[in-house]
Amino acid sequence: MAYATQTHTGSLSLLDRFAEIREQAAEAYAAWRIYRNTLTELRELSDRDLNDLGISRASIRAIAHEAAYGQID
């Protein structure tokens, strides 16, 4: 289970907190868009093209996840 960690110390103003939340949301959305675009592009490839790349259809989601969020532990 993943837990959110706070990166700030001390007390931030309400506006600073909103700005931080907005920045985190923008980063999460950008990563999600990379995931969706990669997933869509790989799913559109033919089985022959995927085979040439050494990718099975079963691994498409894992590859898209790694492209967007980094290496899976």
Side-chain angles (χ1 to χ4, degrees):
M1 175 180 267
Y3 295 96
T5 58
Q6 294 181 346
T7 57
H8 63 277
T9 58
S11 62
L12 295 175
S13 72
L14 187 58
L15 290 177
D16 290 337
R17 288 186 207 164
F18 282 134
E20 186 177 303
I21 290 169
R22 183 173 183 227
E23 182 180 328
Q24 290 173 354
E27 290 173 4
Y29 179 72
W32 177 80
R33 291 297 306 158
I34 291 169
Y35 173 79
R36 291 300 304 168
N37 289 339
T38 305
L39 193 66
T40 300
E41 289 178 13
L42 289 175
R43 284 181 173 169
E44 289 176 353
L45 294 176
S46 68
D47 288 336
R48 182 177 178 141
D49 290 336
L50 288 173
N51 190 35
D52 288 345
L53 294 171
I55 299 172
S56 70
R57 288 222 175 259
S59 64
I60 288 176
R61 289 181 69 189
I63 291 169
H65 190 275
E66 184 178 340
Y69 305 108
Q71 185 68 22
I72 300 171
D73 292 332

